[in-house]
Amino acid sequence: IVSPYLDEFPELANKISAILKKADTNKDTATTQGILLGLGQSNTLRAIEIIKPYLEHNDPSLKATAALALGPINKPEVMPLLISKVNDGNAQVKQALATAFGMQGTQEALAQLRRLIKDRNPFVVQAAANGFANVPGAPIMELNPLLSDSRWQVKLTAAQILGPSLLPGHPELVPTFIRLADSDPHILVRSAATLGLAGVNQPEAIRVVQKNMQRPDWILRRSATLTAGRIDSPALVPSLAFVLNNDSHYLVRSAALISSANKINQSPQIVEEVKLLLNDRYWQVRQSAVEALGLSNNPRTIELLIPRLKDYSWQVRYSTNTSLGNRVNDYPTLKSSVSL
C-alpha cells in the first residue's frame, strides 16, 4: 500500500528497510520475499535502492526474489542491476532474471534473453523462452530451433509458445509439429504439439489428431480431442462421436463435448451423441453437455435441457439456466422456467 509513495516520504523507506532487516535476521524468508515483491510494484527509485542489496544475498531464493521484484520497475537503473547477475551460477537466480527481463520488455532485455536461452539448465531456457515471448515485437521464430532441443522441458515450452499463436500463420512449422505430436518420446511434448495443430486442416495433421484421440494416455487424448474441435473438417465428427460414447476418462469426455459444441450446428447428428451425456455421473461432463446443446439451433434441445434445471450440481443448473436464458427471446414460454 505504501510502497508507491517511497520517493515522496523517505521515512517510509527507512521503516521498510528496518522491517526487512529484522526479517532477515530472524531468517523469516517468506516475509522478506513478500516485502521485496511488494516493493517491485512501486516503480520508485527508493524501492530499487532497498531491493538492490538482496541481489548479493547469500540465499539464492532471496537473490531470485530481488530479481523478480526489479522486473516490473520501469526505471533505467534496473537493467544494469539485472545484467550484472546474468553470470550467476545459480539456476533459480537465472530463471528469475529471465522472467524479469521479459517484464522489462526492451531490446536490451531481449539481448540478455538470447544469452539465457543458450544456458545448459533446461529450466533457465524455459524461463528465457517465455520471457522472450513476452517482449513486445520479439521475433518469436527465433525460438524455432528449441523445437528440436534434446531436453523435453525446452521442447515443451517452445511448442506451447509457437503452436497456439503462430502455427496457422507459419506453415513451415507444420511438419515439425506433426512429428512431435506423433512420435515425441515425452507425453507432454506430444500433447502440446497436438494442441498446436489446432486450425491445421491438412490430412496428415488430421490423421495424427485422430490417432492421438485413441492413445492410452488420457492427457494426450484430451489434447487431441480439444484440437479436433478446432479443425474445420467433417472427418473428425465420427472421431468425436466415438470419444463421447467410449472414452473412460471424464475429462476427455468433457473435452469432446467442448469440441462438439463447435460443430453442433454444422453436424446436427452429433446432438444424439451429446444428449446421452446429460446423465453422466460427473457434473463436469453434464455441464459441458448442457453448454454444447445450448449452442444448437435445434429447437428439440430445449426439451433436453429443461430437466437439467433440477440437476443436483449447482454448476450444471447455472449453465442450464444461462443456456436457456439466452433463448428466451426466441421461445418466450421459457420465461417461466428460467431465472433472468
Side-chain angles (χ1 to χ4, degrees):
I1 297 173
V2 300
S3 59
Y5 307 102
L6 292 178
D7 286 346
E8 297 176 49
F9 303 100
E11 63 274 14
L12 292 176
N14 295 333
K15 290 181 180 179
I16 291 173
S17 295
I19 294 170
L20 278 170
K21 184 176 181 180
K22 182 179 179 180
D24 201 15
T25 301
N26 294 334
K27 299 189 182 304
D28 186 352
T29 302
T31 297
T32 303
Q33 289 176 318
I35 294 172
L36 290 173
L37 292 173
L39 288 168
Q41 304 304 312
S42 71
N43 203 39
T44 62
L45 292 173
R46 289 189 184 276
I48 296 173
E49 290 304 311
I50 296 172
I51 296 168
K52 179 179 176 180
Y54 287 87
L55 288 173
E56 308 300 331
H57 203 281
N58 56 11
D59 183 345
S61 68
L62 290 179
K63 282 201 286 188
T65 302
L68 287 173
L70 288 171
I73 300 178
N74 185 24
K75 299 286 185 186
E77 291 80 2
V78 169
M79 279 300 295
L81 293 174
L82 294 175
I83 292 172
S84 71
K85 304 309 296 179
V86 167
N87 293 321
D88 192 287
N90 185 274
Q92 183 182 4
V93 174
K94 287 194 280 190
Q95 287 179 69
L97 286 169
T99 302
F101 286 132
M103 288 189 279
Q104 287 286 295
T106 64
Q107 291 301 306
E108 188 178 15
L110 208 56
Q112 299 304 318
L113 287 164
R114 287 188 176 101
R115 290 178 60 186
L116 291 171
I117 282 173
K118 298 175 183 177
D119 198 87
R120 293 181 179 180
N121 186 291
F123 301 107
V124 174
V125 179
Q126 281 184 298
N130 282 315
F132 192 95
N134 287 333
V135 175
I140 299 296
M141 289 303 294
E142 286 187 24
L143 301 179
N144 187 9
L146 299 184
L147 290 170
S148 301
D149 197 276
S150 62
R151 297 162 294 185
W152 71 265
Q153 300 94 333
V154 175
K155 284 189 290 187
L156 171 63
T157 299
Q160 289 170 332
I161 293 171
L162 293 172
S165 59
L166 290 181
L167 190 53
H170 290 270
E172 70 274 16
L173 289 180
V174 171
T176 300
F177 269 75
I178 289 175
R179 174 178 57 80
L180 291 173
D182 191 26
S183 59
D184 192 88
H186 200 283
I187 188 68
L188 294 182
V189 176
R190 290 211 304 276
S191 179
T194 300
L195 288 170
L197 291 172
V200 181
N201 192 355
Q202 296 181 13
E204 188 62 14
I206 292 171
R207 180 193 69 78
V208 171
V209 169
Q210 289 175 319
K211 181 178 178 181
N212 287 350
M213 290 172 77
Q214 305 300 321
R215 298 270 198 175
D217 193 288
W218 74 266
I219 294 175
L220 183 54
R221 295 201 311 275
R222 182 176 185 274
S223 295
T225 301
L226 288 171
T227 299
R230 297 169 188 157
I231 297 177
D232 187 17
S233 170
L236 287 163
V237 173
S239 300
L240 285 171
F242 182 86
V243 172
L244 287 169
N245 282 319
N246 297 284
D247 201 277
S248 61
H249 201 288
Y250 75 98
L251 289 178
V252 180
R253 296 198 301 278
S254 184
L257 288 163
I258 293 170
S259 290
S260 297
N262 296 331
K263 300 178 181 294
I264 202 162
N265 290 315
Q266 292 84 357
S267 305
Q269 71 273 19
I270 209 166
V271 169
E272 297 303 312
E273 312 294 341
V274 172
K275 74 175 185 180
L276 299 175
L277 295 177
L278 287 170
N279 296 308
D280 195 271
R281 61 181 291 199
Y282 291 96
W283 69 263
Q284 295 93 331
V285 176
R286 298 197 306 278
Q287 182 182 41
S288 295
V290 164
E291 292 171 351
L293 291 173
L295 294 174
S296 172
N297 294 328
N298 187 341
R300 180 167 165 266
T301 57
I302 293 175
E303 64 187 61
L304 295 174
L305 290 174
I306 287 176
R308 290 302 104 200
L309 289 168
K310 297 182 179 180
D311 195 279
Y312 63 82
S313 165
W314 71 264
Q315 294 96 331
V316 177
R317 295 197 303 272
Y318 178 85
S319 292
T320 305
N321 190 75
T322 300
S323 295
L324 291 174
N326 290 335
R327 303 173 77 172
V328 163
N329 290 336
D330 296 326
Y331 304 95
T333 56
L334 284 174
K335 288 182 178 179
S336 60
S337 301
V338 302
S339 302
L340 300 176

